[in-house]
Amino acid sequence: MTDTLLLTGATGFLGTQVARWLVGNTDCRLIALVRADDREGAERHLARSWWDWPELAGAIGDRVEVLRGDLTLDRLGLDGETYRYLVRRLTCVVHAAAGLRFDASEAELRRVNVEGTARLLELAQAAHADHGLTRFAHLSTAYVAGRREGDVAEADLGEGAGFHGAYERTKYEAERLVRGAGLPTSVFRPGFVVGDSHTGEIKTFNTLYYPLRLYLNGRLPVLPCRPDLRLNLVPVDYVAEAVGRLTLDPRAEGLTFHLTAPTESLPTARELVAFVRGWARETLGLSLPRPWFAPFLLSLAPAAGRLPGRTLTNLSALAPYFGERRRFVRTNTDRLLGPYRLDWRQFLPRLLEFAAYQGFLHRSDRTVQEQLLFRLGSRSRPVRYHDIVQGRLVSRSAAEIREDILTTAGAMRVLGVEPGDRVAVVGLNSTRSLILDAAIGLVGAVSVPLYYTSPPADIRSILAASGARVLFVGAPAVLARLDELESPVPVVSFGREGAGGGAARAMAWEDFLARGRGVEVERTAPVGFGDAATLRYTSGTTGRPRGVVFRHEHLRYMAESLASLPPWRVRHRRVVYLSFLPMNHVVEGILATYSPYYVPAPLDLYFLEDLREVARALPAVRPTMFFSVPRVYEKLWERFETSGPGRVYLRASGARRRLLRPLVRAAFLRRAGLDRCAQLIVGSAPSGEGLLHAYGELGIELHNAYGLTEAPLVTLNRVGANRLGTVGRPLPHTQVRIANDGEVMVRGPQVTPGYFEAQSEPPVRDGWLFTGDLGRLSDDGFLILEGRKKELMITSYGKNVHPSRVEARLQQVPGVTEALLVGDGRPYCAALLWVEGVVLTPEDKALLDAAVARANRDLSHPEQIKAWAVLHHDLSVAGGELTPNLKLRRTEVIRRHAGVVSALYGQGEPPDSVLHLGRVAREVLGG
C-alpha cells in the first residue's frame, strides 16, 4: 500500500527539500498542510514556494494534495470532515514546521513549536488508533542539547544544563512531547542548515550567513569566537535525504539522529575566514583584512542575549554557538546511513556565489510588486522618491507611496478590475506611473504599458488587441486627443494637476483615488509565478506590433538578476537611480522599475517626466547607476567636444593628452552628472564603436548590453569584463547559442513564453528563442552582433550585406543623426543620411563626403557606400517613419523616399528635399 504522508512546514526551505526528495525518490502521496485564508490561497502559496523546482510544483494536485490548516489553531483549523479524512488517510507524518526566529518572543515560539506540535500529535494519535501510523518524524535541532558540553549523544537533551534562549527551550519541550506520545517516532536534529551543496540555493540567510555578510561588507573586523571553533554547518540536501530515507526505514523507529557532519570534517573559524578571503578576492575583487578573533566578547552578553550596538545585538543571538565546546555523536546516523564525509571546501564556493547573487537578501516568494511594497516598510534600507517636474524636485516618502499603491489597488477593485484583466497605461515618468504599475500587479491584473509618443491610431489598435479593461493616461498630448481613440474603454487621468487633464471623458485622479479609500486590499496578490504579469508590445519595425507576454516568474528573475550585476561594494551603498526613459520601455519598465528593491541598500529613486531634460537633470541627481540609449551618450559627447576643456583635450596629443586625461575625465563626468556612477550601461539600439572608443580613450567605460522585447536583457559587458565590439557575456542562468545560419538563439528565465495574439507564430522553439539577430561568440563567451537576419540585403551581384553594421558606422559621421542603407537587388549600396538643419555650406558637404569615404575604408567592398543623399531630419513617430521607441521603420522610410532612392542609382533627378547628393568616383560604381 502507498504511504500517505502529511508534511508540515512545506513552504519552508527545509520542508521544501524534504518534499523534493520524497517526490523524486518514492511513490508516497503527500498532503501538505499550508496556512492561508482559503484552499486556493494555500495552493498558490505552496506553488510559489516550490516554483524553482518544476518537478515539485508540477506534482501539486497530482501526488501532492494541499490542505489549508494552521498548527496554532484547535484541530489544526480544519473542519470536522477534513480532520476525519486525515485521520483515516495518514500513514506517516513529517513535522518540519517550526518557529525559527531567534528574536521572537518565547510566547510566539511556544505557540508554534510546543502547542503546534501537541496539536499535530493529537491528530497522529487518532490516526494511529484508527489504523496504525508507521512513523511520526519530528525535525528538531541539535541545539536541544542546550548548554551541554563535551560529547553529546543522540539521546541526550539539555535538561539540567540549561538553555541559551527561547528557541532552544521550546524545541526541547516539543521533542519531549514527541518522545512521550506513544507513537512510532523518529527525531532528527540537524546543525546549522546551509544551502544545497550542489547549487548553493537557500531561502533565508540566517545563522552562519549573517556574520559572513557583515565580514564581506567590511563591518565585522572582530569575530566573537575562538579561531579553532568548529562551525557546525550541514547542507540542506544531506538533511532532506536523511529525513526522507530514515522516515521510511523501519529500523529508524524510536531513534534520534544527529544530522550533523563529523566534528573533524567541519571547518574551523580560522579556516573558513581564510577561505572566504581568498574567494572574495578572486570572485568579488575584494581585499578583506584578516579579522581579530575575540572570544572574550561573548562574556559581554547578559542573560537576555543582548550586546551593545545593532550589529552586536544581532550577533548575540548566535553568540552561544560561537562559543560551544561539544561534539555531536552520530551513532544511529552512521549505523543506518553510513559515514558522512563533508568536503566543505568543495561546496562552500557554491554557497557564497548564491548568497552574493542574492545580496544575502532572503529569497522570498513575493512577486516584484509585493517586494516593492515590502521594501517600502523597511527601516534599515529606506526608500525615498522624487519627481522632477519642470526643473523642480517634488519628494515623496515611502509611506505616502505605499498608501497610494494600496488605495489605487482598492480603486481598481471598485472599477471592477479582476485578476487576469488587462490594464493599459500611457504616461510620463512619475511616481504615479510606478504606483499604477505596482497596484495593477497587486490586484492580479496584467499591465499593458504604451508609449506616450504613440499616435492615437496605434493606441487604439493595442487597446483592441489586448482587450484592455481600462486605460490610465498621464500624458497631456494623449489626453488632448482622447476623442481620436474611438475606444469605449474607460479612461482615468493620472497626470499631474494642470498638465493637460480635464479631458471630458477622463476620470480625474483624485476622483479615482477617492473610490479606493477604505477598501481593504490584500498585500499578497491573487496570482502565481506562472500567471501573466505584463504585455510589452514590440515596436513594429518588422510589421504589426505584437504583445509579448511576461509572467511573474520572468519579472522576478530579471529584477533579481539586474540587481546582482553591479560590483559588490556598489550594491551595498546607497543606490541613486534616475528613471527618464519611457517606463513602458522594455528595459526601463521591467528591469529598472523593480530591480532596485532587490538591492541590499537604501534607495533614492528619481523620475524625470521630460526625457529631453536628462542632461540638465543628471548633475542634480548624480546617479550611482545609469542606463541609457546611445543617443544620450552621443549628446553628452557632443557637448564635451564643443566645451573649452573638450577642445583643448581633443587637439592635444602624446604626453600632453596623457597628462590632461585624468583631469579632463573627472571634469567631464562631474559636468555630466555621472561622476558617482559605478557602471554606465548602453543598450536598446546599436552603439557605434567610435562612440565607445571615444569614451574609452578618455578613460570612461561604456558597457554595451543586448536584449530584445522578447528577452529584455540577454548579455552585458560588466566592470572588469568589458570588451569593445561585443555586447558582453550572457546573464546568470542564460544560454546563448549560434544557429547554423548565424542566428543568435537564447534560452533563459527572461525569455517570453510567447505572444498574446494567438495567430502570431511563437518565437520560442524547443526552448530556444530565435532572435532574428545574426552574430557569433568569441572563444571566451562574448557575443558579437552582425546584423538582423530579416534585414539581410543581397545586391544584384549576389553579395550579402547586413545594413545595421554599415548604418552604425555611418551614424558616427559628424552631424549625421540617422542613417539608412539601401541596396537590395541593386548593383551597389547607397545611403540616406539625415542631419539637423536645412542649409549645408560647401565646406560642410566636403567634410561630410570625406567622413563617408573614411567610413568606407572600414567596410568590405560589397558594403561600401557608392552614393549618399543628405536630408533634413524631419523623421517622426507621428509621421510614421519612427517607431515609438525611435527606431526607423525601414520599409515605410524607403517607400516615402522612393524618389531619393531612384536618384541614388541615376534614375531621375533628386527631389528638392535632398540637401546634398554625394558619390564616389564613377569607376568604382560597377563593383
Side-chain angles (χ1 to χ4, degrees), residues 281-356:
R281 184 171 54 251
E282 293 296 321
T283 308
L284 302 179
L286 298 179
S287 180
L288 297 172
R290 289 187 178 88
W292 292 90
F293 291 93
F296 66 86
L297 287 177
L298 298 174
S299 63
L300 299 179
R306 301 294 175 196
L307 288 169
R310 182 182 181 87
T311 298
L312 288 178
T313 296
N314 292 334
L315 279 174
S316 68
L318 300 173
Y321 314 108
F322 289 162
E324 65 179 352
R325 298 176 182 273
R326 54 189 163 195
R327 173 178 174 271
F328 293 103
V329 179
R330 291 171 38 100
T331 305
N332 295 331
T333 307
D334 284 341
R335 180 167 60 85
L336 296 189
L337 291 183
Y340 177 37
R341 295 177 177 84
L342 176 77
D343 187 351
W344 62 269
R345 286 184 173 84
Q346 183 177 11
F347 74 77
L348 189 59
R350 296 164 194 154
L351 303 187
L352 294 169
E353 285 161 14
F354 185 83

Side-chain angles (χ1 to χ4, degrees), residues 570-882:
V570 173
R571 293 166 61 194
H572 290 79
R573 292 200 292 263
R574 184 172 71 102
V575 170
V576 180
Y577 187 79
L578 173 65
S579 174
F580 71 96
L581 293 175
M583 290 177 72
N584 71 306
H585 185 283
V586 71
V587 177
E588 188 78 14
I590 293 178
L591 302 176
T593 303
Y594 290 111
S595 65
Y597 306 98
Y598 292 85
V599 175
L603 305 173
D604 266 282
L605 304 176
Y606 291 78
F607 295 89
L608 176 65
E609 70 171 23
D610 187 353
L611 64 83
R612 293 170 300 183
E613 295 295 313
V614 64
R616 187 176 301 173
L618 277 170
V621 173
R622 299 174 73 193
T624 56
M625 292 292 296
F626 188 64
F627 167 77
S628 177
V629 294
R631 188 58 186 149
V632 171
Y633 290 106
E634 290 168 1
K635 285 184 173 293
L636 291 174
W637 189 259
E638 289 167 5
R639 286 178 57 195
F640 169 68
E641 287 179 315
T642 58
S643 69
R647 287 195 297 268
V648 171
Y649 176 78
L650 294 174
R651 283 198 299 265
S653 60
R656 186 170 182 233
R657 177 175 278 201
R658 288 194 298 273
L659 186 65
L660 288 172
R661 183 176 292 123
L663 298 174
V664 174
R665 176 186 182 276
F668 172 85
L669 291 174
R670 187 170 55 253
R671 184 182 180 195
L674 300 175
D675 52 318
R676 290 181 177 172
C677 269
Q679 189 168 12
L680 301 173
I681 303 174
V682 56
S684 295
S687 301
E689 285 190 34
L691 178 71
L692 301 179
H693 279 291
Y695 273 86
E697 198 280 332
L698 188 56
I700 301 170
E701 284 195 358
L702 298 187
H703 297 88
N704 226 343
Y706 165 65
L708 59 162
T709 306
E710 291 82 353
L713 192 58
V714 175
T715 62
L716 176 69
N717 277 295
R718 309 182 199 183
V719 176
N722 191 23
R723 185 79 55 82
L724 294 185
T726 80
V727 288
R729 286 175 171 149
L731 264 63
H733 314 297
T734 301
Q735 295 173 271
V736 173
R737 179 184 293 177
I738 307 300
N740 292 335
D741 62 354
E743 184 171 4
V744 177
M745 301 160 59
V746 179
R747 182 163 65 185
Q750 72 275 59
V751 173
T752 176
Y755 298 117
F756 181 70
E757 293 77 18
Q759 69 273 19
S760 296
E761 182 183 351
V764 178
R765 301 195 294 274
D766 298 323
W768 290 90
L769 171 67
F770 287 74
T771 64
D773 291 308
L774 298 171
R776 56 189 171 86
L777 288 168
S778 68
D779 292 340
D780 48 356
F782 286 82
L783 177 62
I784 301 103
L785 294 179
E786 298 179 328
R788 288 286 296 170
K789 184 176 179 181
K790 286 187 178 180
E791 292 174 0
L792 180 70
M793 294 192 322
I794 304 177
T795 69
S796 59
Y797 287 92
K799 301 295 185 180
N800 292 344
V801 176
H802 298 299
S804 59
R805 164 180 154 81
V806 181
E807 288 163 355
R809 282 166 171 75
L810 292 174
Q811 285 172 343
Q812 297 172 37
V813 171
V816 172
T817 58
E818 192 61 80
L820 185 140
L821 192 72
V822 293
D824 205 23
R826 305 276 192 168
Y828 55 84
C829 288
L832 306 181
L833 306 176
W834 284 268
V835 297
E836 299 287 358
V838 294
V839 178
L840 290 181
T841 66
E843 291 79 9
D844 292 334
K845 295 174 183 179
L847 288 172
L848 198 148
D849 291 348
V852 173
R854 286 195 298 274
N856 271 336
R857 288 200 290 268
D858 295 329
L859 300 172
S860 67
H861 193 273
E863 293 174 319
Q864 289 175 355
I865 313 304
K866 307 304 194 303
W868 51 95
V870 182
L871 304 166
H872 167 61
H873 192 288
D874 59 356
L875 303 170
S876 68
V877 176
E881 300 97 344
L882 299 178

Side-chain angles (χ1 to χ4, degrees), residues 501-518:
R505 57 170 297 207
M507 182 189 302
W509 178 247
E510 280 304 322
D511 293 340
F512 168 73
L513 283 185
R515 296 187 176 202
R517 292 192 175 98

Side-chain angles (χ1 to χ4, degrees), residues 190-459:
F192 279 159
V193 178
V194 295
D196 187 284
S197 63
H198 303 288
T199 64
E201 289 174 297
I202 197 167
K203 267 190 178 180
T204 306
F205 297 98
N206 289 330
T207 60
L208 178 69
Y209 290 94
Y210 182 69
L212 278 177
R213 176 170 66 84
L214 294 176
Y215 180 54
L216 288 172
N217 285 333
R219 294 174 53 200
L220 195 62
V222 178
L223 292 175
C225 65
R226 307 186 319 273
D228 62 344
L229 170 71
R230 296 282 182 177
L231 296 164
N232 186 20
L233 53 88
V234 59
V236 69
D237 46 313
Y238 174 76
V239 175
E241 180 178 355
V243 171
R245 287 175 58 185
L246 293 172
T247 294
L248 302 176
D249 188 337
R251 300 174 299 167
E253 182 180 333
L255 299 179
T256 299
F257 300 90
H258 275 151
L259 300 184
T260 57
T263 303
E264 60 276 7
S265 71
L266 295 170
T268 66
R270 190 195 304 277
E271 289 173 329
L272 188 76
V273 167
F275 189 94
V276 170
R277 288 183 71 226
W279 176 86
R281 184 171 54 251
E282 293 296 321
T283 308
L284 302 179
L286 298 179
S287 180
L288 297 172
R290 289 187 178 88
W292 292 90
F293 291 93
F296 66 86
L297 287 177
L298 298 174
S299 63
L300 299 179
R306 301 294 175 196
L307 288 169
R310 182 182 181 87
T311 298
L312 288 178
T313 296
N314 292 334
L315 279 174
S316 68
L318 300 173
Y321 314 108
F322 289 162
E324 65 179 352
R325 298 176 182 273
R326 54 189 163 195
R327 173 178 174 271
F328 293 103
V329 179
R330 291 171 38 100
T331 305
N332 295 331
T333 307
D334 284 341
R335 180 167 60 85
L336 296 189
L337 291 183
Y340 177 37
R341 295 177 177 84
L342 176 77
D343 187 351
W344 62 269
R345 286 184 173 84
Q346 183 177 11
F347 74 77
L348 189 59
R350 296 164 194 154
L351 303 187
L352 294 169
E353 285 161 14
F354 185 83
Y357 174 79
Q358 296 293 145
F360 285 82
L361 286 179
H362 299 331
R363 185 82 192 285
S364 73
D365 301 324
R366 303 183 191 102
T367 64
V368 290
Q369 295 88 2
E370 293 162 1
Q371 175 69 14
L372 185 157
L373 204 65
F374 172 78
R375 279 295 303 271
L376 294 188
S378 173
R379 285 181 293 179
S380 59
R381 300 183 181 97
V383 184
R384 295 185 297 187
Y385 291 96
H386 316 273
D387 285 306
I388 304 176
V389 182
Q390 296 180 335
R392 294 183 299 107
L393 202 63
V394 180
S395 298
R396 302 195 64 193
S397 69
E400 289 177 294
I401 298 295
R402 188 175 189 275
E403 181 63 28
D404 276 0
I405 289 171
L406 295 172
T407 302
T408 301
M412 285 186 188
R413 288 269 172 81
V414 173
L415 274 186
V417 176
E418 300 287 341
D421 285 347
R422 271 77 63 203
V423 176
V425 181
V426 53
L428 307 179
N429 285 32
S430 66
T431 52
R432 286 186 183 175
S433 293
L434 180 73
I435 287 164
L436 276 168
D437 206 291
I440 291 167
L442 210 58
V443 300
V446 179
S447 66
V448 186
L450 307 174
Y451 277 101
Y452 52 74
T453 53
S454 297
D458 286 3
I459 295 175

